[in-house]
Amino acid sequence: MTTIEAPAPPKRKTLYRGDPGMWSWALHRITGVTIFFFLFVHVLDTALVRVSPETYNEAIEIYKTPIVALMEMGLVAVVLFHALNGVRVILVDFWSKGPKYQRLMLWIVLAAWFLLAVPAVGRQFVYLFTEH
């Protein structure tokens, strides 16, 4: 009788193994950096009013374009995910049963994000096509 050896597992090319908790961790950092850069640009463009009101008015006109409207829709989705996932992170850290239920809470966060983001972005789409 001969024994057949199992093939060697494929080598991983990334540290991420596809676990939802790891993707949640990465998305939380990415959304946090995105929000930081939005706030940074927002403070800078608001400061333009003191430097040059004409330049400020030009910047505001740029913000009324459809491309920026799409970016605002993305911002709504990013802020919602970051906020909801932040609550999950707080529960995992400070609730004694948090680590046990972290995966379930992630799915709840994703469902809540979907239920909140779809109508919010949908409303922005309606506004984009009716008001602009």
Side-chain angles (χ1 to χ4, degrees):
M1 183 170 206
T2 59
T3 307
I4 300 174
E5 290 185 34
K11 292 187 178 199
R12 295 194 187 277
K13 294 182 178 162
T14 178
L15 293 175
Y16 293 100
R17 296 190 173 123
D19 181 58
M22 292 182 84
W23 290 111
S24 164
W25 180 87
L27 278 174
H28 196 72
R29 272 50 181 190
I30 291 167
T31 57
V33 169
T34 303
I35 294 166
F36 171 79
F37 281 116
F38 163 76
L39 291 173
F40 182 72
V41 169
H42 180 63
V43 167
L44 287 179
D45 70 11
T46 304
L48 282 175
V49 78
R50 296 290 239 161
V51 177
S52 169
E54 296 81 24
T55 307
Y56 174 78
N57 289 334
E58 290 172 13
I60 295 303
E61 286 304 314
I62 291 171
Y63 295 156
K64 294 178 181 178
T65 63
I67 297 294
V68 175
L70 292 173
M71 290 170 40
E72 287 175 347
M73 291 176 208
L75 181 64
V76 167
V78 163
V79 168
L80 276 173
F81 176 80
H82 192 79
L84 293 170
N85 194 52
V87 171
R88 184 188 73 86
V89 169
I90 290 168
L91 288 172
V92 168
D93 286 346
F94 294 108
W95 181 34
S96 62
K97 295 182 181 181
K100 179 180 177 183
Y101 294 112
Q102 69 91 13
R103 186 179 297 254
L104 173 63
M105 287 189 293
L106 175 60
W107 292 113
I108 292 169
V109 162
L110 292 175
W113 174 80
F114 185 79
L115 291 173
L116 292 171
V118 168
V121 171
R123 174 64 185 107
Q124 287 178 296
F125 261 117
V126 169
Y127 178 78
L128 176 64
F129 291 118
T130 59
E131 301 294 325
H132 284 93

